[in-house]
Amino acid sequence: MYAYIKGKLTFKSPTQVYLECNGIGYLINISLQTYSEIEPLDDVKLYTQQIIREDAHTMYGFFSEDEKNMFNHLISVSGIGIKYSKAYAIIYEFNRVDKRNNF
């Protein structure tokens, strides 16, 4: 398990990035919130969560630890899938920033 990966972005899209660290390119799924934070950057640190299932090993990356923690809480709830968890984590992060800035 990796807590985070720090390196150079070699590919970016709103749903995935390739993050190169010491010559290894990691394919990491990301949320739109994370994409909006990393879009102008070349070097990043992503907090990661690896999900191992019967048919796939998938890595998810988050710009903030709070977003990663919310994602982990949500996927632990029975009946809530990964796609819903990614979407809800974005809403959570937006509301947290909204309250902090008093919008």
Side-chain angles (χ1 to χ4, degrees), residues 27-61:
L27 186 153
I28 302 174
N29 293 291
I30 59 170
S31 67
L32 291 174
Q33 173 65 32
T34 293
Y35 180 73
S36 70
E37 297 285 347
I38 67 170
E39 189 175 17
L41 305 175
D42 290 326
D43 295 311
V44 297
K45 176 180 180 179
L46 293 180
Y47 296 94
T48 58
Q49 179 63 45
Q50 187 174 12
I51 306 293
I52 299 174
R53 298 270 159 83
E54 201 172 285
D55 59 343
H57 291 219
T58 310
M59 188 171 297
Y60 295 89

Side-chain angles (χ1 to χ4, degrees), residues 4 6 12 24 35 48 50 54 60-62 72 75 78-80 82-83 88 90 94-95 98 100 102:
Y4 65 87
K6 186 176 180 179
K12 288 181 252 187
I24 300 173
Y35 180 73
T48 58
Q50 187 174 12
E54 201 172 285
Y60 295 89
F62 306 93
N72 284 328
I75 63 172
S78 179
I80 295 183
I82 290 173
K83 287 182 182 180
Y88 190 82
I90 293 168
F94 176 78
N95 287 335
D98 187 42
R100 189 173 56 218
N102 296 320

Side-chain angles (χ1 to χ4, degrees), residues 62-78:
F62 306 93
F63 190 74
S64 75
E65 283 187 284
D66 285 340
E67 187 182 7
K68 176 187 172 184
N69 291 336
M70 177 55 70
F71 174 82
N72 284 328
H73 285 301
L74 290 169
I75 63 172
S76 70
V77 175
S78 179

